[in-house]
Amino acid sequence: MPLPLYLLALAVFAMGTSEFMLAGLVPDIAADLDVTVAAAGTLTSAYAIGMIVGAPLVAASARNWPRRSSLLGFVLAFAAAHAVGACTTSFAVLFTARAVAAIANAGFLAVALTAAASLVPPDRKGRALAVLLSGTTVATIAGVPGGSVLGTLLDWRATFWAVAVLCLPAALGVYRGIPAGRPEEACTDAPALRAELAQLTSPRLPLAMLLGALVNAATFASFTFLAPVVTDTAGLSELWISVVLVLFGAGSFVGVFVAGRLSDRRPGLVITAGGPLLLIGWPALALLAHEPVALCTLVLVQGALSFALGSTLITRVLYEAAAAPTMAGAYATAALNVGAAAGPLIAAATLGTTAGNLGPLWVSGVLVAVTLFIALPLRGMVTPDRSADLVR
């Protein structure tokens, strides 16, 4: 894989740390800013909504911009938003800062996904996506738990400052690794924006986006509210939140690694084998969350299955959007974050019910069930033969 892919992954690591870090900080933010845990959990949805809106708008605006300057601008704006979030005492300002950071993240990821796909041969998009998403999975292994520990030892604001500082070497990596000048597509006969948007009318692209969104909704529904499951349901100390997040991140790394080798050639295998296992895992975790060993084991497994299935479906988005070279990354980013916005909102509604802290786990199970109900009968559309991908 080309070196610029790994430099892009470094920036994705910084942004992934921010996107996921609230899973360990929600209770502290709620207490400090005098809001409920459910309200603090909506910061995850604010971030996702910012990415949903930002990805297509920014990608459409920046489709002919120089990639290096675009990516640098997004990283620096992201850092500034975190500095504001670290300083504020207002939940409304923090909510707004998260939305602004999300728009910057959306712009970066939309451009980076398109750039990553263009750096490799047409039949290796899954491998390229795996490298790029490794920044996110390493964030869940190291960045997010590290932020949780930092938040426990100091406060949640220290974690926001750490993310802002982490953006600086990421910006340097982008500057050193990404060539200056306009993207190749902009210098050749790239499709008009209207033609790229018209790809959304092809049934396979919206289907892949819908399924990717559903799986990501299931992932974020539980991941956002893991902290109270660890401390209240399992009865473990706050430092165990970091351990559980590390396990989820380690699982996600394995899932993306395996899927990166299968999603180009055998995506149907990932869906038909991993989907039912993921479906079984969420209710099992809800039923066994009070047992620390079972909790830790199942979190590891669910992390692997969630990211294996999710990254495979997002790879399908990139394949189906091959005729939209400057907007494909935006479509993939929007699909990821529709799920990241919807999942926590649905899960938060269950916290005040009799399901309590386990409500989000049951929500994840239902969302995966809906995914399989749609995907399995339409498997031929979701995972057409590889030759069709190469033609597109």
Side-chain angles (χ1 to χ4, degrees), residues 245-382:
L245 294 178
V246 167
L247 290 172
F248 188 91
S252 68
F253 185 84
V254 172
V256 167
F257 179 83
V258 172
R261 276 130 184 89
L262 294 175
S263 58
D264 288 317
R265 300 177 181 274
R266 304 190 67 186
L269 176 63
V270 179
I271 295 172
T272 56
L277 292 175
L278 183 62
L279 174 60
I280 294 170
W282 288 124
L285 183 55
L287 294 172
L288 299 173
H290 62 283
E291 297 287 346
V293 173
L295 171 66
C296 292
T297 302
L298 286 169
V299 162
L300 175 69
V301 172
Q302 292 302 94
L305 293 171
S306 294
F307 273 77
L309 190 59
S311 64
T312 296
L313 290 168
I314 294 304
T315 299
R316 297 311 312 162
V317 173
L318 294 178
Y319 273 118
E320 299 300 340
T326 66
M327 293 298 293
Y331 298 154
T333 301
L336 283 169
N337 288 283
V338 165
L345 287 176
I346 299 170
T350 68
L351 294 176
T353 68
T354 55
N357 294 332
L358 300 179
L361 303 178
W362 290 108
V363 166
S364 295
V366 171
L367 290 170
V368 174
V370 173
T371 303
L372 296 181
F373 180 79
I374 297 171
L376 293 181
L378 299 175
R379 180 182 170 186
M381 288 182 61
V382 179

Side-chain angles (χ1 to χ4, degrees), residues 97-301:
R98 290 296 286 172
V100 170
I103 293 172
N105 190 351
F108 181 90
L109 193 56
V111 176
L113 281 167
T114 303
S118 69
L119 290 171
V120 298
D123 63 341
R124 303 191 75 186
K125 292 179 183 178
R127 294 284 297 275
L129 181 63
V131 171
L132 197 64
L133 289 183
S134 69
T136 298
T137 58
V138 172
T140 61
I141 296 171
V144 176
S148 179
V149 171
L150 188 61
T152 300
L153 297 179
L154 298 176
D155 61 18
W156 64 270
R157 299 176 190 277
T159 304
F160 272 67
W161 279 118
V163 170
V165 172
L166 190 61
C167 288
L168 301 182
L172 179 61
V174 169
Y175 179 77
R176 297 293 298 273
I178 303 300
R182 299 169 70 201
E184 182 179 347
E185 305 90 61
C187 300
T188 59
D189 296 327
L193 178 59
R194 179 177 298 179
E196 296 202 43
L197 294 175
Q199 295 300 308
L200 292 169
T201 62
S202 173
R204 284 178 173 169
L205 176 56
L207 177 61
M209 293 174 67
L210 172 63
L211 296 176
L214 284 169
V215 170
N216 211 41
T219 303
F220 271 82
S222 290
F223 187 82
T224 301
F225 298 104
L226 271 180
V229 174
V230 173
T231 55
D232 298 342
T233 304
L236 300 172
S237 67
E238 287 189 359
L239 287 177
W240 273 93
I241 296 173
S242 300
V243 175
V244 171
L245 294 178
V246 167
L247 290 172
F248 188 91
S252 68
F253 185 84
V254 172
V256 167
F257 179 83
V258 172
R261 276 130 184 89
L262 294 175
S263 58
D264 288 317
R265 300 177 181 274
R266 304 190 67 186
L269 176 63
V270 179
I271 295 172
T272 56
L277 292 175
L278 183 62
L279 174 60
I280 294 170
W282 288 124
L285 183 55
L287 294 172
L288 299 173
H290 62 283
E291 297 287 346
V293 173
L295 171 66
C296 292
T297 302
L298 286 169
V299 162
L300 175 69
V301 172

